[in-house]
Each structure stands twice: as structure tokens, then as C-alpha cells.
Amino acid sequence: MPLESCMILLDNSQYMRNGDYIPSRLAAQQDAANLLVSHKTQSNPESTVGIIAMNGGCFTSGVELLVSPTDDVGKLLGALHKIPIRGQGELASGVDVAASVQVASLALKHRRNKNGQQRIVIFVGSPLVDVDKKMMVKAGKTLKKNNVKIDVVVMGELEENEEKLKELVDAANGSNNDEKNCHLITIPAGTLPSDILIGSPIIHGGEGAGMGGMGGGASSPGGAAGGDNFADYGGIDPNLDPELAMALRISMEEERTRQERIARENQESSGGDANADSEQKGDGDATDVKMEDAPVADAAMPSAADMGDEDAMLQQALALSMADALPKEEETAAPAETIMEEDEDDAAMQMALGMSVADDSGQDLSSGDSQQFQDPQFVNQLLGSLPGVDPNDPSIKSALENLEKANQDTDTQKDKKEGDDKKK
């Protein structure tokens, strides 16, 4: 909120002893004034508040300035709770509204920070019997001239005071109907003024919802009017009463969720049949698309245009099953052939290894060792000790026989060569 200097005018006449407000008019007025002080000082750190008692002394109706505009909350609250009830019950009127407004205007004129707005909040709980409407209009025009806004809170004596105080508020607002910066709030008997004010334009500023700028307080019980700024909290300012605001917000969210769930269930139940039909139709279309896109193994398969849809689907399913079966048979046959080829390769490698060992041993070993490799029994025993080699295999036997013949031929040639050398 903008910077503001506010004067709170309290009615402390004998009429404030009445118990039509809980617990009394004076106590209810103090509670509402406490709310205003807290709101004004917390909304802007430079805002100031002053307090005036409209009945200043015994047997008099004078005005007493208790606290000049200040931002000291402790001083303000102390002055609020020390206001006594003064005056005599037989007086025609307990307060003088015009004089009180004039004193408040002078106090605002001498405020510390002159940059902010000026506002007067006046509580009236005494009958205004001897007050003339012309005086009220004059006071309102004076406030309009000095650019001072006024808010009036009526507690009790509604029939006698409401019309006169409305003249004051109308004069302060002026002829401009677009801007209603002054408000008249009426508090019904039996309700707390703080509950009404917490949702009124006095707290939130501007025109409250359902109040029309003035005179609408009685038609908005519970203080919910003017709460558009705090709609999520039920019109309650969370800074003033966080627990109540949070409880209202939770209850509103639960109710909103419940209504949404009911609406969704009704919509689902009403559109269930239509959705089921559309889903069945969509599934049929998707099946047709998938079957048309599937690969066909047989090129001569009849098309769906030449036969019924069911026959075409059966033909396609049969072709797919056949196409899936062929690769499986090839895969099962391939491993067996691969195993046989690997066994033959292993046998060949074993034979080559044996031959290379025999050749190397013939060159490096002595004649006794070479004779051992030429022994068929020793070779068969050596091959039998090797893993995966069968000495009785016909191919191995033929290889050993060829090896033995080759060795014999080699020895014969070697002996012949040695004989020729000796002759020379």
C-alpha cells in the first residue's frame, strides 16, 4: 500500500457500554482499532497512525488527542487499551463528529512525512440527535478541499446515524462517481467489527465487492466482501490471520477438487459408449494398416482386392509364419555343419603339429630319439595322449604309414650319399 497518515477517532461515550456487540461496544471497537493499527503500520514501514478520543473529559464532550501520528506500534496499542468511558448518559449526544474531524485534520496537517495520503477512520456508536445534516456536509466538503479521505464505521444506532453519516461521506467523495475513496461501513449487531473490516475497502482500499463504496457493510456479513485481492484465502488477509486464511484456502481447494472429480466422472459416464465404439474402430484400422505394411514371403500371394478381408488376412498370417520358420531351420542346420568343420580343422592342426614336431626332432635330437618317433607304438601312444585325437582314425593311420615310408626313403638316400662320399 502507498504511504499514508491515518487518524483513528474512537467513541468513548456512555453508549459504548451497551452489550449488543460482543463483549461490548467499547471492547469490539478496540479490537477493530487494533486491526487497523496493525494493518496500517505493516503495509508500509513509513506509514503513521494517530488516535483521538471523541469524548475527552467528564461532563464535557470535548475531543482529546491521545497519540499524534507515529509509527510506534507499542505506543498506539497502549493508548487504545487505556481509553476510558466518559461523559454522562443523559447527554443528548455523546460525541461531536464535526469537531472531532476538525481536530483530526489539524493533526494530519502537522504530520511528520507530508508526502503520503491523509485518511481519517471514525467509529460512531452514539446517537447523533442534535447533529445537523448541513454541518456534516460542510465537514465533508472541507475534507475534500484539504484532500483528506474519511472512512466511517457505524456501530449501533443505525437508523438515526446512517443517513447523516452518509451525507458526510458523499460530500467527502465529491461529485466524481468514478473514484469513491471514502466509505461508510455499517456493522450489524451481534457481529465483530473486525470480521467486517477485514474484508472491507478500509483494509484493502478501493471499492469493496458488494459494498458499492459505502453503505454496504450490513449486506456483507462475515467480512467476506471486498476480498477479491485474497480470493484464494476466502477474502481473508493471510498477514493478519494466517491460520484462518490457510484453513479457508485448504477447504476451498478440497471443494474445487471434489467438484472437478464429479464433473469428470459424469463426462466419462456419458461419453463411455461413444469412446468404446471409436476405440474398436480405431483398433480395426490399425490392424489393417499393420498387415498391409508387413513383408510378404510369397510374391504370388493373392491380393485383398480379389478375395474377402478374412481370407487375405489368413493368407498374410500363413506367409509370415512360413517366413519366420525358414530362417529357424537354416539356423539349426548351420551350427551342426560348423561343428563338423571345426572338428576336421582341429584334427588337421593336430596332424600338422605332430609332423612339425617329428621334423624338428629329427634335425635336433640324436639318432636314438629319432628311432623312438619312427616306432609305430610310440607314435600311437603319443597321439592317444593328445586331446581330441583318435589314433585308430583311418586318416591318421594312413598319414603315419606315409610318414614311415618317407623316413625309410630318406634314410636310404642318406646311406647312399654317405657311400658315394667314402668312395671318393
Side-chain angles (χ1 to χ4, degrees):
M1 291 183 66
L3 176 63
E4 185 179 76
S5 295
C6 178
M7 292 297 300
I8 300 177
L9 280 60
L10 302 177
D11 189 347
N12 60 333
S13 64
Q14 293 291 334
Y15 292 95
M16 301 305 291
R17 296 183 184 273
N18 293 342
D20 51 352
Y21 295 90
I22 302 173
S24 64
R25 290 186 183 182
L26 182 63
Q29 176 185 245
Q30 290 174 346
D31 182 51
N34 189 359
L35 173 64
L36 286 175
V37 169
S38 300
H39 175 71
K40 297 294 184 183
T41 54
Q42 292 177 5
S43 61
N44 194 307
E46 296 184 3
S47 296
T48 57
V49 181
I51 298 175
I52 290 178
M54 292 190 290
N55 198 329
C58 296
F59 308 104
T60 63
S61 59
V63 181
E64 181 182 3
L65 177 62
L66 299 179
V67 180
S68 59
T70 181
D71 56 357
D72 189 350
V73 180
K75 187 176 180 180
L76 294 170
L77 297 179
L80 283 176
H81 293 282
K82 291 181 180 179
I83 295 178
I85 295 178
R86 295 173 179 173
Q88 293 182 350
E90 62 269 12
L91 292 177
S93 178
V95 295
D96 187 353
V97 175
S100 300
V101 170
Q102 186 177 2
V103 174
S105 300
L106 292 174
L108 290 174
K109 185 177 181 180
H110 296 87
R111 65 189 184 279
R112 180 177 57 188
N113 193 342
K114 299 184 182 299
N115 295 326
Q117 299 179 357
Q118 304 176 70
R119 184 173 293 276
I120 296 175
V121 180
I122 179 173
F123 290 84
V124 179
S126 303
L128 305 177
V129 179
D130 295 338
V131 177
D132 189 6
K133 292 184 180 180
K134 294 182 180 180
M135 295 178 59
M136 304 299 287
V137 173
K138 183 178 179 180
K141 291 182 178 180
T142 303
L143 294 175
K144 177 68 175 178
K145 181 180 179 180
N146 295 330
N147 198 20
V148 179
K149 310 298 186 297
I150 185 170
D151 296 324
V152 180
V153 181
V154 184
M155 299 175 56
E157 315 299 337
L158 303 179
E159 296 179 359
E160 298 180 3
N161 297 341
E162 186 174 1
E163 185 178 354
K164 297 177 182 179
L165 294 173
K166 186 177 181 181
E167 296 289 340
L168 173 63
V169 173
D170 289 342
N173 280 323
S175 60
N176 189 1
N177 295 326
D178 296 336
E179 295 182 1
K180 298 293 185 181
N181 296 320
C182 302
H183 311 91
L184 174 64
I185 308 298
T186 57
I187 309 297
T191 61
L192 288 175
S194 58
D195 291 342
I196 302 298
L197 293 180
I198 199 171
S200 69
I202 296 178
I203 297 295
H204 300 294
E207 294 186 3
M211 289 192 179
M214 55 182 169
S219 61
S220 57
D228 292 342
N229 295 332
F230 304 101
D232 294 339
Y233 301 95
I236 302 299
D237 188 357
N239 296 325
L240 301 177
D241 196 345
E243 295 180 358
L244 178 60
M246 185 57 64
L248 291 174
R249 181 179 181 181
I250 293 173
S251 63
M252 292 174 65
E253 290 179 354
E254 292 178 352
E255 180 65 19
R256 189 183 302 111
T257 303
R258 186 182 67 85
Q259 293 178 358
E260 291 177 356
R261 184 177 66 254
I262 293 174
R264 185 168 58 255
E265 291 176 355
N266 294 334
Q267 184 177 2
E268 290 177 356
S269 61
S270 62
D273 298 337
N275 293 333
D277 296 340
S278 62
E279 289 179 359
Q280 292 178 359
K281 184 177 179 181
D283 293 341
D285 296 340
T287 304
D288 295 340
V289 172
K290 291 181 180 178
M291 296 303 296
E292 289 176 2
D293 294 339
V296 181
D298 190 1
M301 184 183 63
S303 62
D306 299 332
M307 63 180 63
D309 294 338
E310 294 181 357
D311 295 338
M313 293 175 63
L314 290 174
Q315 292 292 338
Q316 292 176 357
L318 181 61
L320 289 174
S321 63
M322 294 176 62
D324 293 339
L326 291 175
K328 291 182 179 178
E329 294 178 356
E330 295 178 357
E331 291 177 357
T332 53
E337 296 177 356
T338 304
I339 293 173
M340 295 177 63
E341 292 177 357
E342 291 179 355
D343 293 340
E344 293 178 358
D345 293 340
D346 292 340
M349 289 178 65
Q350 294 292 343
M351 292 175 60
L353 179 62
M355 295 174 64
S356 62
V357 169
D359 294 340
D360 294 340
S361 60
Q363 295 177 1
D364 298 335
L365 299 178
S366 61
S367 61
D369 294 337
S370 61
Q371 291 178 358
Q372 292 180 354
F373 282 100
Q374 294 176 1
D375 187 1
Q377 295 181 356
F378 176 76
V379 173
N380 289 332
Q381 184 178 2
L382 178 62
L383 293 176
S385 62
L386 296 175
V389 179
D390 186 9
N392 297 324
D393 188 83
S395 59
I396 295 177
K397 289 183 178 182
S398 61
L400 291 175
E401 292 176 357
N402 295 330
L403 178 63
E404 185 176 359
K405 292 180 180 181
N407 291 332
Q408 292 177 359
D409 295 338
T410 302
D411 293 340
T412 304
Q413 293 178 1
K414 187 177 180 181
D415 295 338
K416 184 178 180 181
K417 185 177 180 181
E418 290 178 354
D420 294 338
D421 293 337
K422 289 179 179 181
K423 291 178 179 182
K424 292 179 179 180

